[in-house]
Amino acid sequence: MTTRSFVPDEFTVPESLSGDGFRLEPLGPQHNEADHRAWMSSIEHIRATPGFAERGWPPADGMTRLANLLDLERHARDFQARRGFTYTVLGNGDEVVGCVYIYPSRTDAEVAEVRSWVRADRTELDGPLHTAVADWLASDWPFKEVRYLSRS
């Protein structure tokens, strides 16, 4: 991953996005318990979601809450340094129902690669989340190219 900013210095990174039945906010350590519970309950479903099968995440055997916390801290540092942007997807209240990752492509730092997942028991949000995020990236972000695998 690049150490330089992924977006121009003058760009104000959005802090949230709201859609029908969900809202996004930057993922951080404060989400550890709910985030861990969300993805641990949906490992097979997430691994079958476009963009995740080839990445080997989440680990088939899961991970500890401490390992998850360290991962969330890394995502928060990336967000702060503008190297990549991870948002938690919240349903009602503070219920974590998924995640959105916006990072530079591993092969072309000028391209944004986006992945998202929702819990297995909230699959009805997958299509609306994908549509809302794709529209948001096109209208509010400075990327010239976005790769975000479609939902069929």
Side-chain angles (χ1 to χ4, degrees), residues 106-136:
R106 292 176 176 177
T107 58
D108 185 347
E110 302 297 315
V111 173
E113 285 192 353
V114 181
R115 294 177 293 127
S116 63
W117 60 266
V118 295
R119 287 189 334 220
D121 65 347
R122 297 301 303 269
T123 58
E124 75 281 359
L125 288 178
D126 195 37
L129 173 66
H130 183 277
T131 299
V133 168
D135 291 348
W136 183 49

Side-chain angles (χ1 to χ4, degrees), residues 26-101:
L27 179 69
Q30 71 275 20
H31 299 111
N32 190 42
E33 290 296 319
D35 177 73
H36 186 262
R37 193 170 40 254
W39 69 260
M40 285 287 288
S41 71
S42 300
I43 292 173
E44 288 182 29
H45 173 72
I46 295 168
R47 293 186 101 181
T49 300
F52 288 89
E54 67 280 356
R55 298 240 178 202
W57 191 92
D61 295 333
M63 68 171 72
T64 67
R65 281 182 182 80
L66 176 58
N68 194 66
L69 176 63
L70 296 173
D71 197 41
L72 299 188
E73 289 172 343
R74 177 182 56 82
H75 284 301
R77 284 190 306 272
D78 286 348
F79 201 106
Q80 173 104 22
R82 303 164 64 91
R83 291 187 301 252
F85 306 97
T86 304
Y87 293 87
T88 190
V89 181
L90 301 171
N92 300 324
D94 289 331
E95 171 194 31
V96 173
V97 298
C99 212
V100 175
Y101 308 85

